[in-house]
């Protein structure tokens, strides 16, 4: 069990696209998730020589239509030739996608979440050897009457640098199945809401990807067509 306290998200986080593949596994619904994908990911701050961190999300997930529950496997990997040093993975939900729990990770306080995010967890990955990876089972809910996104930044342990960020990338379907037991959602697809009048729901775009931070008062700017800059107060150092 992690002894770390939830920390404030620090450093610029930038959304874009990247390409890498990693096979994921998850005990519940693994057959529905397909291979992992780094879609919507991009390096941000320069990593130390020989270190190359990436993340992957399943290409598809399945949402229970009665409960809204879903499971997502989030994986971080060091594809470099040297150890990563101490790093952490953040898992942040937006709009209809709410992250409920991740074993071994700490919830990010509501006041420390960026505007537009409804939930987030900080996972202390530690030092990843070259070629090593670590996967986290994410328990989440998805409100099918809304669009939903998820974001996976990889930061130094103190949050001062962000080596990589995947997202905010959407999960969704253009063919809702309200009468079925579950609705399959695809990575990189804007959700078509099930509720009446859903076609009029504002879609997430550049305006939603530029997330102003309230408490810290930092200025946030868009970076490209799908940019995101996200800053926060410096996290407290943890004892020993």
């Amino acid at each position: 069990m992690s002894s770390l306290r939830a920390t404030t998200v620090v450093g610029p986080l930038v959304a874009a696209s990247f390409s890498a593949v990693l096979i994921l596994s998850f005990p519940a619904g693994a057959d529905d998730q397909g291979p992992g994908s780094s879609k919507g990911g991009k390096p941000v701050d320069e990593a130390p020589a020989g270190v190359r961190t990436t993340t992957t999300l399943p290409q598809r997930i399945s949402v229970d239509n009665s409960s809204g529950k879903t499971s997502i496997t989030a994986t971080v990997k060091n594809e470099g030739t040297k150890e990563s040093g101490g790093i952490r993975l953040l898992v942040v939900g937006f709009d209809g996608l709410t992250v409920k729990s991740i074993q071994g990770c700490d919830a990010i306080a509501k006041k420390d979440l960026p505007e537009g995010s409804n939930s987030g967890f900080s996972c202390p990955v530690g030092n990843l050897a070259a070629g090593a990876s670590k996967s986290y089972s994410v328990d989440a809910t998805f409100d099918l009457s809304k669009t939903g996104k998820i974001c996976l930044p990889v930061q130094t342990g103190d949050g001062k640098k962000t080596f990589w960020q995947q997202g905010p990338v959407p999960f969704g379907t253009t063919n809702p199945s309200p009468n079925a037991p579950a609705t399959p959602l695809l990575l990189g697809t804007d959700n078509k809401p099930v509720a009446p009048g859903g076609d009029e729901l504002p879609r997430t775009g550049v305006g939603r990807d530029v997330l102003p931070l309230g408490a810290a008062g930092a200025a946030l700017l868009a970076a490209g067509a799908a940019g995101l800059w996200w800053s926060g107060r410096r996290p407290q150092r943890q004892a020993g």
Side-chain angles (χ1 to χ4, degrees):
M1 179 179 295
S2 170
S3 62
L4 295 179
R5 297 178 178 176
T7 56
T8 302
V9 181
V10 176
L13 309 181
V14 181
S17 61
F18 198 74
S19 176
V21 176
L22 176 64
I23 301 299
L24 304 181
S25 62
F26 187 68
D31 292 341
D32 295 331
Q33 295 203 347
S37 171
S38 288
K39 187 171 186 176
K42 182 183 178 180
V44 184
D45 295 322
E46 185 176 1
V51 177
R52 181 171 176 265
T53 57
T54 61
T55 59
T56 60
L57 289 163
Q59 292 184 351
R60 58 183 179 267
I61 60 175
S62 182
V63 177
D64 186 286
N65 283 343
S66 61
S67 65
K69 292 181 179 180
T70 187
S71 298
I72 303 171
T73 301
T75 298
V76 56
K77 183 177 182 180
N78 178 11
E79 297 184 334
T81 58
K82 295 184 179 180
E83 294 182 344
S84 68
I87 58 174
R88 67 181 184 181
L89 173 70
L90 305 180
V91 182
V92 184
F94 295 82
D95 302 316
L97 194 158
T98 303
V99 182
K100 306 300 287 188
S101 66
I102 308 175
Q103 187 174 0
C105 304
D106 300 298
I108 300 172
K110 292 284 186 182
K111 64 182 179 65
D112 295 327
L113 292 171
E115 184 178 343
S117 171
N118 55 49
S119 55
F121 282 76
S122 176
C123 304
V125 177
N127 184 33
L128 276 183
S133 64
K134 188 170 184 179
S135 294
Y136 294 88
S137 300
V138 180
D139 291 327
T141 58
F142 198 106
D143 184 347
L144 294 171
S145 69
K146 303 177 181 179
T147 57
K149 289 186 176 183
I150 192 168
C151 187
L152 302 182
V154 179
Q155 300 181 331
T156 52
D158 58 11
K160 291 182 178 180
K161 289 187 176 182
T162 299
F163 294 144
W164 166 272
Q165 181 180 317
Q166 185 175 7
V169 61
F171 273 106
T173 178
T174 57
N175 185 26
S177 306
N179 297 322
T183 296
L185 302 182
L186 299 179
L187 182 67
T189 301
D190 284 317
N191 190 49
K192 180 179 179 180
V194 173
D199 290 340
E200 299 177 3
L201 185 74
R203 292 177 57 174
T204 52
V206 175
R208 294 301 303 274
D209 285 341
V210 183
L211 304 177
L213 185 72
L220 307 174
L221 302 174
L228 166 64
W229 286 82
W230 179 12
S231 299
R233 293 175 297 178
R234 188 185 302 272
Q236 298 178 355
R237 290 187 177 274
Q238 304 299 321

